[in-house]
Amino acid sequence: MTAAARIVNGTKTYGTGDAAVTALRDVNVQFSGAQFTAIMGPSGSGKSTLMHCIAGLDRLTSGDAFIGDTRLADLKDKKLTELRRTEVGFIFQSFNLVPTLTAEENINLPLSLGGRSGDREWIDTVIDTVGLRDRLSHRPNELSGGQQQRVAVARALASRPTIIFADEPTGNLDSNSGSEVLAFMRRAVDEFGQTIVMVTHDANAAATADRVLFLNDGEIVHDMANPTADRILDTMKSIGS
Amino acid sequence: MIKLALRGARANLGRLILTLISVVLGVAFVSGSFVLADSLRSIFNQVSEDAFAGVDAQVRGASNDMNSTNGETPRFNDDVISAIANLPEAEYTEGGLFSFERAYTIDANNEVVRPTGPPVFTGSWSGPSPVSSFRMIEGEPPTGQQVVIDPVQAERGGFVVGQEITVSLPTGEPEVFTLSGTIDFGEGGTGGAFFILFDLPTTQRVLGLPGQIDSVVVSAATGVSPDELVTAISAVLPDNLEAVTGEVVIGEQKEDFGTFINIFGNVLLGFAVVVLFVSTFIINNTFATLVGQRTRMFGLMRSIGASGKQIMQMVFIEAGSIGIAASGLGLVGGLGVASALKRLFSSAGGEFPDGPLEIRTRTIVVVIIVGMGVTLASAILPALRASRVTPLEAFRTGGRASRPLTVRIALGSAVLLLGLVFMAIGMFGNPGGTSATLALIGVGGALTFIGVSMLSAMFAGAVAGFIGTPVAALRGVTGRIARGNASRNPQRTSSTVTALMIGLALISGVAVLTRSILDSFEEVLNESISADLWIFETNQGLEFSGLLVEQLAELPEVDQVAGFSPTAIRIGDEVLTATGFDSTTGTSVVNMGIIDGTAEVGRNGIAILDSVAEERQLAVGDQLSVEFEDGFVTTLNVRGIFDDAAIAGADWLIDRDLSREHRITDAITFAGLTYAEGVDPAVGRAVVEATTAAFPQLSVQDNTEFQEEAEGQIAQLQVVITALLVLCLVVAFFGIVNTMVLAVLERTREIGLLRAVGMTRRQLQSSVRWEAAIISLFGALLGVALGLLLGWAAVIAIPDSFVSKLGIPWGQLVVYIIVGGLLGVVAAWFPARRAARLDVLEAISTQ
Ligand SMILES: Nc1ncnc2c1ncn2[C@@H]1O[C@H](COP(=O)(O)OP(=O)(O)O)[C@@H](O)[C@H]1O
Ligand SMILES: [Mg+2]
């Protein structure tokens, strides 16, 4: 079985000449289906870059990125956009929702952009799972931060993408709301077989994942299976952050 | 501080440039109006000076307040020429005879050669002399059966000196003359007017005025001053003649031209003011948005010690730099506007003499004051707001509370009410004088627009949401996003579309008024006209020979024929216009709605419009003392009261036999006729046309053609006015571009998010365009609704004799609404592309 997403010899360099910054150095990684992966590392280590390149938001300077069997370098903007719409889900740290749309419209956004109505039953399940049934007609500014992130999770799940990327999804939340959001992501992986990759700074958050990748200076320096918060903290210390 | 302000201006260069354009358009229009009027004035001054350069004195019939109103000057016997020539004070003496529009040259295609704007003069010329108005360009002065014309006319008609040309004459008998040469006044050409000149005896013969002249021009002998010459001449003149110096004549000429040019210039300025007014909304909107976006920066500056006053100065300096730039560009742009206006009027049938464009110091000063003033004034409120930003706001996130809506509603309602009251006083009250009326209506209109603009913020969100509903339904989520964005900032939506609203309100107001005029006209035609054919001068409804009426009356195919001529009369000490008509036959061609007595007033009778009769307490059987322009006084019996002033053309009707005897010319403005019984209309018409063929400037039309022609003419006027008002739409266009650019910029992050979760570039563009379409449809609907209101108000305010019923051009209004919407789509083109090109990652990470 092919991985949900992978990077082969991926290098990303910003700028040229003296000002060049290498954010990823010859990275090889794959994310298998129905797995919850956390990415950790010091600030500037290349976590976001890795995610952006594999999610089709940015292009590698050299090497290849794949979603399923699709080589992203082969796609023009339109196809890439369609791929993001159908195969990829996003959860950002903040400002995840379109303020003029209701919670429900936000959840359906990727589907409706593609002119599809999606699997209603599935979407109902998602909405119930994240507990938003009574907030569907609210606009983002009428929702708390935690509720907004839950809407974002629901949106990411709604189109049943091959893989979901979350960049510090709990970074702006209090610990209660944060753990709620984490719990939903965990359930999505366990109950619905969703693949999720999450960047986080929080060892406890990373501990809910199945696997933790540690990045430093653009390289994957450690790959930990079945993590616990303590082991994560130890590894982080050893990297020196 | 200045440096910081200028840096601020530079940082926002893009949107400031858009703002700049809207100010420049208004300023350029102002400058263009001045430039055009000044240039015309110079040309005509030059013409006046050239024409009377060598004249020290002129003798003319003493004109009175009546005959000065109809252009023609009094004629007198030519024996005074020799009396004056015999004076030792006189060097050269020359008598002349001139008339408006009495002869035309006919080209090879048997078409009348005519200028489209300025008049045609027929007159006498005895060749170059110190007192001659004209100079010879080519060939020889005319003698006998010869004619000279101006070079423009020669070119238009394809005439070359030496050839024979046919000239249609006032008597209706065309004659062939040899073109002996071409003439003009000097540097200024002829100011666009056409001249057809013969020697004096021939002129007297073809004008049917044997032994008559209307002026004598004289140059003084050496050592004699113009004043001395005038004194000497006056001594030998009969009472009905006067002598004046050449200087006086030139002054009067300039004044005559000046009056016309002033009116023209003021009308243009009026349009310019409207455009400027519209652009103030755009400037205000831009500054308000810029200040809003920089709240944090201002807060930060306050917290590090800048005073509120300094912040305010900063905004003003920014505005001032735009004002200066706009004034400079506008001044230069004015030259372009002036030549564009020239072209616009030329294409609409007017004609402008050629001449250099002129920028006077006054124009420069006015333009700078206007450009700076408008920009600074528009920045006052935003600057005040900026100065009130507290240091704390540097750290506050999210929008600041906007002014409570209740204040806005109260203020908006007050302004609106004030505006409506002003307009009402202007229209229905009697503020005294046209300029007071216009000022009241203008200020009232401006206040009304400001009020509506303020109030519209109240419902902009809801209405935009409503307009967007079908878009959302049709375009799916793209449409929903467009609709959401269009209604999310009602205040901005409403101020963005204010310019569009005002532009379309004026344009559709004009359309409603035009339709109403046409409908009223049609009603009048259908109800009051029984003539089978109408005869009038094709282009401008100028007068033509009353002889035609007699010629037509002799045709067996014609039953009744009546001519109509406007005549100045004096009743008490008021100079009024009466229509002289053939009262025995007139009622068979028109029905002026006699409600008492008869329209057959006869030579010693008069009929009066009912409202005028009421006002003056006159009734059938009363007597009136009436004076004519030749000084003849007679007592007329009131024989009839009528109620349709539109068809009578005046409030007073007298018999044409009476009026022609006491007018300078026996000319009429139109004639109507009915066919004799049993005459086939086609045959009748052919016979009539054969008779009028001698007057090639005349049109023969039946009711339907007449109506179509009138419609065409009024529609053309509408086109010109609309074209001028379209400049408002251009300004509005840039306003929408501006707002959309700002909106896209403000929403960069949201756009990034949408793109990340799968919105294609195309979808994004489409949503931005739909947003603009919804916003501008809102403005267009508001504008057209206001236009309907304006049109209706105008129909009520204008006397019934001109417009009696409201006509609504639904088709045109719908087109305007669609155009408004499309304007938004086009305006959003660039902002939408810009949005679509945003880099997704960069957009997401924007703060
Ligand atoms: N658009 C960019 N232009 C230049 N350098 C960048 C850009 N984005 C990221 N970088 C650099 O690449 C490196 C990795 O950045 P990033 O992936 O954002 O790290 P992380 O998410 O782990 O904090 C950093 O040194 C950062 O400065
Ligand atoms: Mg990061």
Side-chain angles (χ1 to χ4, degrees):
Chain A
M1 182 190 137
T2 52
R6 63 200 155 99
I7 281 190
V8 183
N9 300 333
T11 295
K12 175 72 185 179
T13 311
Y14 290 108
T16 51
D18 285 347
V21 178
T22 304
L24 292 180
R25 292 170 205 278
D26 199 22
V27 170
N28 284 291
V29 65
Q30 48 179 343
F31 303 102
S32 15
Q35 211 182 33
F36 189 178
T37 308
I39 302 180
M40 298 196 75
S43 215
S45 57
K47 305 181 294 289
S48 298
T49 306
L50 176 73
M51 241 183 57
H52 294 153
C53 288
I54 201 168
L57 286 173
D58 206 350
R59 291 184 192 272
L60 288 168
T61 313
S62 71
D64 283 318
F66 294 87
I67 298 281
D69 288 326
T70 314
R71 206 171 80 118
L72 301 188
D74 295 336
L75 304 182
K76 291 229 170 59
D77 183 78
K78 185 155 180 271
K79 288 279 172 214
L80 204 58
T81 306
E82 275 166 20
L83 177 103
R84 285 202 301 268
R85 195 157 72 198
T86 51
E87 306 294 334
V88 182
F90 285 99
I91 305 163
F92 298 102
Q93 183 171 358
S94 59
F95 204 83
N96 253 308
L97 308 180
V98 178
T100 49
L101 299 181
T102 62
E104 185 174 23
E105 287 170 331
N106 265 292
I107 292 172
N108 288 324
L109 185 59
L111 288 167
S112 26
L113 281 171
R116 295 176 298 153
S117 57
D119 179 346
R120 295 319 312 172
E121 223 170 288
W122 164 246
I123 292 169
D124 276 344
T125 313
V126 169
I127 288 170
D128 288 331
T129 310
V130 294
L132 285 166
R133 178 69 51 203
D134 56 340
R135 291 277 184 277
L136 286 181
S137 59
H138 291 223
R139 287 188 199 266
N141 61 5
E142 297 160 338
L143 299 175
S144 72
Q147 285 169 334
Q148 290 187 25
Q149 285 308 76
R150 271 147 62 190
V151 173
V153 173
R155 179 192 62 208
L157 288 169
S159 59
R160 294 195 159 186
T162 310
I163 187 165
I164 291 178
F165 293 100
D167 197 346
E168 301 186 43
T170 58
N172 272 359
L173 300 181
D174 60 70
S175 58
N176 268 344
S177 314
S179 26
E180 252 177 42
V181 169
L182 282 171
F184 290 128
M185 302 212 294
R186 186 68 253 178
R187 274 182 73 185
V189 174
D190 294 342
E191 290 176 26
F192 312 133
Q194 182 64 55
T195 312
I196 299 183
V197 176
M198 167 181 75
V199 169
T200 182
H201 278 295
D202 180 355
N204 288 317
T208 53
D210 300 318
R211 173 191 181 196
V212 182
L213 291 178
F214 292 88
L215 245 70
N216 193 18
D217 205 11
E219 290 179 83
I220 295 177
V221 291
H222 197 80
D223 191 339
M224 180 188 294
N226 303 319
T228 65
D230 290 341
R231 284 172 61 211
I232 294 171
L233 284 173
D234 288 344
T235 312
M236 293 291 281
K237 261 180 221 135
S238 74
I239 296 169
S241 69
Chain B
M1 192 52 62
I2 292 184
K3 222 191 232 166
L4 205 60
L6 291 181
R7 200 167 295 157
R10 203 181 316 149
N12 295 299
L13 201 60
R15 41 201 121 139
L16 289 181
I17 283 178
L18 289 169
T19 312
L20 191 71
I21 295 175
S22 49
V23 192
V24 167
L25 284 175
V27 172
F29 204 161
V30 171
S31 127
S33 307
F34 278 119
V35 166
L36 191 55
D38 288 341
S39 313
L40 286 177
R41 208 169 282 125
S42 295
I43 294 168
F44 282 109
N45 283 348
Q46 186 67 45
V47 167
S48 306
E49 271 165 32
D50 288 347
F52 294 95
V55 173
D56 292 314
Q58 188 194 36
V59 173
R60 58 196 188 187
S63 61
N64 59 38
D65 51 357
M66 282 197 266
N67 58 29
S68 64
T69 58
N70 75 2
E72 298 282 358
T73 43
R75 313 282 154 57
F76 49 88
N77 213 297
D78 60 8
D79 51 19
V80 292
I81 300 177
S82 51
I84 297 166
N86 287 337
L87 291 169
E89 289 86 351
E91 171 119 26
Y92 275 93
T93 305
E94 217 171 279
L97 177 59
F98 269 83
S99 182
F100 280 113
E101 295 284 348
R102 310 303 296 275
Y104 298 88
T105 50
I106 311 288
D107 69 13
N109 302 324
N110 205 28
E111 299 279 345
V112 176
V113 183
R114 66 170 93 232
T116 32
V120 175
F121 293 92
T122 307
S124 65
W125 190 51
S126 39
S129 77
V131 293
S132 165
S133 296
F134 303 98
R135 65 171 187 187
M136 195 90 237
I137 298 176
E138 196 192 340
E140 300 292 326
T143 51
Q145 205 62 13
Q146 290 182 336
V147 67
V148 295
I149 60 177
D150 56 284
V152 179
Q153 183 178 190
E155 200 196 310
R156 186 91 48 95
F159 306 131
V160 290
V161 172
Q163 87 170 78
E164 302 210 311
I165 56 179
T166 308
V167 180
S168 125
L169 298 171
T171 47
E173 303 294 332
E175 286 180 26
V176 175
F177 292 85
T178 305
L179 182 64
S180 67
T182 55
I183 45 88
D184 70 4
F185 284 134
E187 289 311 312
T190 60
F194 278 13
F195 285 86
I196 297 172
L197 306 176
F198 313 97
D199 64 12
L200 183 57
T202 310
T203 309
Q204 290 171 331
R205 178 178 66 77
V206 300
L207 289 180
L209 298 164
Q212 303 269 295
I213 52 173
D214 64 3
S215 89
V216 181
V217 282
V218 191
S219 74
T222 24
V224 177
S225 77
D227 285 329
E228 288 162 352
L229 178 64
V230 166
T231 314
I233 296 173
S234 300
V236 301
L237 288 183
D239 276 352
N240 62 335
L241 300 185
E242 63 175 7
V244 291
T245 60
E247 220 172 298
V248 170
V249 177
I250 292 176
E252 285 174 2
Q253 284 276 323
K254 286 183 180 174
E255 209 173 297
D256 281 356
F257 286 134
T259 313
F260 157 73
I261 293 166
N262 283 345
I263 292 173
F264 174 74
N266 287 343
V267 167
L268 283 184
L269 266 184
F271 282 106
V273 167
V274 170
V275 174
L276 267 179
F277 176 65
V278 165
S279 47
T280 56
F281 287 91
I282 307 285
I283 313 167
N284 176 268
N285 191 22
T286 308
F287 277 105
T289 316
L290 288 182
V291 165
Q293 285 178 344
R294 278 185 291 175
T295 302
R296 267 194 191 201
M297 186 191 109
F298 291 141
L300 194 68
M301 288 178 61
R302 289 302 308 278
S303 66
I304 58 171
S307 68
K309 208 171 137 197
Q310 281 175 312
I311 304 271
M312 186 150 85
Q313 277 171 357
M314 219 179 93
V315 177
F316 273 131
I317 291 169
E318 229 177 272
S321 57
I322 292 195
I324 285 279
S327 304
L329 290 172
L331 194 66
V332 179
L335 295 176
V337 170
S339 33
L341 284 173
K342 262 170 118 170
R343 226 166 300 141
L344 172 69
F345 287 111
S346 298
S347 69
E351 190 160 327
F352 282 107
D354 279 337
L357 293 174
E358 208 179 282
I359 303 184
R360 294 199 186 160
T361 321
R362 187 257 285 116
T363 310
I364 299 177
V365 172
V366 169
V367 158
I368 290 176
I369 291 174
V370 163
M372 288 292 279
V374 161
T375 325
L376 289 178
S378 320
I380 289 178
L381 286 180
L384 270 178
R385 215 182 116 168
S387 74
R388 293 210 198 99
V389 170
T390 60
L392 254 187
E393 280 176 276
F395 311 106
R396 196 180 292 165
T397 48
R400 42 187 273 153
S402 53
R403 194 199 293 239
L405 214 55
T406 41
V407 175
R408 209 184 160 83
I409 294 173
L411 215 63
S413 313
V415 172
L416 175 62
L417 202 70
L418 199 66
L420 291 176
V421 168
F422 268 49
M423 283 218 285
I425 297 176
M427 287 189 296
F428 306 111
N430 219 331
T434 320
S435 48
T437 308
L438 284 178
L440 275 171
I441 292 180
V443 172
L447 288 176
T448 306
F449 283 134
I450 295 175
V452 171
S453 166
M454 289 176 80
L455 290 179
S456 71
M458 220 167 63
F459 50 85
V463 177
F466 177 73
I467 298 171
T469 305
V471 179
L474 279 172
R475 307 292 311 179
V477 71
T478 322
R480 271 205 302 285
I481 289 170
R483 173 180 167 225
N485 286 334
S487 47
R488 83 200 275 186
N489 193 339
Q491 196 148 326
R492 189 193 293 169
T493 299
S494 77
S495 48
T496 301
V497 299
T498 297
L500 180 63
M501 168 189 92
I502 297 175
L504 279 182
L506 295 174
I507 291 176
S508 34
V510 168
V512 169
L513 184 57
T514 306
R515 187 74 258 157
S516 303
I517 292 173
L518 290 175
D519 284 359
S520 309
F521 184 62
E522 188 185 336
E523 197 174 71
V524 169
L525 283 185
N526 291 342
E527 286 178 5
S528 328
I529 290 199
S530 38
D532 292 317
L533 282 180
W534 285 109
I535 296 151
F536 52 91
E537 196 269 342
T538 312
N539 258 32
Q540 288 148 308
L542 297 165
E543 295 192 351
F544 57 95
S545 174
L547 282 177
L548 183 66
V549 175
E550 270 93 285
Q551 292 172 12
L552 290 170
E554 281 167 20
L555 296 173
E557 288 83 359
V558 170
D559 179 23
Q560 304 284 358
V561 53
F564 296 76
S565 71
T567 305
I569 55 169
R570 193 201 312 270
I571 296 176
D573 47 7
E574 259 180 290
V575 176
L576 304 159
T577 305
T579 295
F581 81 119
D582 296 299
S583 68
T584 46
T585 52
T587 45
S588 51
V589 296
V590 297
N591 170 12
M592 61 280 291
I594 287 289
I595 51 178
D596 193 15
T598 170
E600 293 186 22
V601 293
R603 286 185 60 120
N604 57 358
I606 188 164
I608 311 174
L609 182 71
D610 55 353
S611 57
V612 174
E614 202 171 305
E615 201 177 297
R616 296 178 184 242
Q617 301 189 319
L618 291 167
V620 172
D622 288 348
Q623 293 197 318
L624 261 182
S625 175
V626 175
E627 185 187 336
F628 288 85
E629 61 182 291
D630 63 351
F632 173 78
V633 181
T634 185
T635 299
L636 297 178
N637 302 297
V638 178
R639 292 250 159 79
I641 305 289
F642 62 94
D643 68 0
D644 194 343
I647 199 66
D651 299 346
W652 312 82
L653 286 170
I654 55 174
D655 196 274
R656 195 162 71 89
D657 280 341
L658 178 65
S659 68
R660 80 212 302 185
E661 271 166 33
H662 305 291
R663 285 191 68 199
I664 287 169
T665 69
D666 168 31
I668 56 177
T669 46
F670 64 96
L673 60 84
T674 54
Y675 298 134
E677 231 179 274
V679 170
D680 174 4
V683 174
R685 184 175 182 137
V687 172
V688 169
E689 281 178 346
T691 308
T692 59
F695 303 88
Q697 79 272 28
L698 298 184
S699 283
V700 176
Q701 294 182 350
D702 63 22
N703 249 348
T704 321
E705 290 166 329
F706 188 39
Q707 190 175 328
E708 276 166 7
E709 167 123 359
E711 280 193 25
Q713 278 170 3
I714 294 174
Q716 205 167 37
L717 189 63
Q718 188 194 353
V719 167
V720 172
I721 295 177
T722 305
L724 289 172
L725 289 174
V726 159
L727 217 56
C728 290
L729 296 190
V730 176
V731 171
F733 173 83
F734 286 110
I736 299 172
V737 176
N738 208 354
T739 298
M740 292 314 294
V741 169
L742 288 171
V744 163
L745 222 77
E746 250 177 34
R747 295 204 300 260
T748 302
R749 201 161 157 184
E750 192 177 320
I751 289 167
L753 172 72
L754 282 166
R755 292 274 291 122
V757 302
M759 186 177 242
T760 60
R761 290 201 162 120
R762 194 183 278 255
Q763 284 175 319
L764 181 59
Q765 284 190 25
S766 138
S767 95
V768 174
R769 283 182 203 136
W770 274 112
E771 175 186 348
I774 293 170
I775 290 180
S776 33
L777 270 179
F778 167 67
L781 283 171
L782 207 60
V784 168
L786 271 180
L788 266 172
L789 223 63
L790 281 181
W792 171 73
V795 168
I796 290 186
I798 295 171
D800 275 2
S801 59
F802 195 52
V803 195
S804 54
K805 64 192 260 192
L806 180 68
I808 299 176
W810 291 112
Q812 276 180 51
L813 297 186
V814 169
V815 169
Y816 293 155
I817 291 172
I818 294 172
V819 166
L822 286 179
L823 198 72
V825 177
V826 178
W829 202 264
F830 165 72
R833 273 175 63 116
R834 201 168 145 161
R837 288 207 179 144
L838 283 177
D839 182 81
V840 183
L841 263 185
E842 265 174 46
I844 299 178
S845 38
T846 311
Q847 278 307 306

